[in-house]
Amino acid sequence: QVQLVESGGGLVQAGGSLRLSCAASGRIFSINVMGWYRQTPGKQRELVAVITSTGSTNYVDSVKGRFTISSDNAKNTVYLQMNSLKPDDTAVYYCNVGVVHTPGERVEYPYWGQGTQVTVSS
């Protein structure tokens, strides 16, 4: 199947920066969409940013102008550059990819990373 390995979380002061990475490996023919979500205790998982294989991006309003999602399609890797971090950005961040396993397959299968903790202190 497919494995996702996330890295880059940690503790940072408000106003600081972090860069998250998520590398996918395994039975991958193509990945059409890659995204980052975040979740805090007692709340639903929230979409933070998404990028398509053609480079189109979308962000939740609360991170626009501060976060940048990018990808290296050759490496099946997605990044999230987070600048001007705020305490409200504290959460566990998960990457998500939609994988097509074989040529001609029309179904995309979703896979999730293990999550990485981001903590922003005030």
Side-chain angles (χ1 to χ4, degrees):
Q1 294 290 43
V2 175
Q3 297 78 39
L4 301 182
V5 177
E6 298 182 26
S7 61
L11 172 64
V12 65
Q13 288 188 334
S17 298
L18 285 173
R19 188 188 193 214
L20 306 183
S21 299
C22 174
S25 62
R27 197 163 70 99
I28 299 171
F29 172 68
S30 67
I31 298 175
N32 295 328
V33 180
M34 308 177 86
W36 288 97
Y37 291 70
R38 65 187 179 188
Q39 189 170 24
T40 54
K43 293 189 177 181
Q44 287 190 333
R45 195 168 293 187
E46 170 190 45
L47 175 62
V48 176
V50 63
I51 186 167
T52 69
S53 58
T54 59
S56 296
T57 60
N58 201 13
Y59 300 89
V60 67
D61 286 347
S62 61
V63 308
K64 286 181 180 178
R66 300 187 298 120
F67 291 11
T68 302
I69 189 170
S70 61
S71 64
D72 184 333
N73 294 335
K75 295 181 178 180
N76 292 326
T77 299
V78 61
Y79 307 95
L80 186 68
Q81 178 66 44
M82 305 184 293
N83 299 329
S84 301
L85 282 160
K86 305 175 180 180
D88 283 349
D89 296 318
T90 296
V92 177
Y93 284 72
Y94 298 90
C95 66
N96 174 269
V97 300
V99 174
V100 176
H101 290 299
T102 58
E105 186 175 57
R106 296 184 178 182
V107 178
E108 289 186 10
Y109 294 88
Y111 290 90
W112 290 92
Q114 80 277 12
T116 185
Q117 177 70 47
V118 171
T119 303
V120 184
S121 63
S122 57

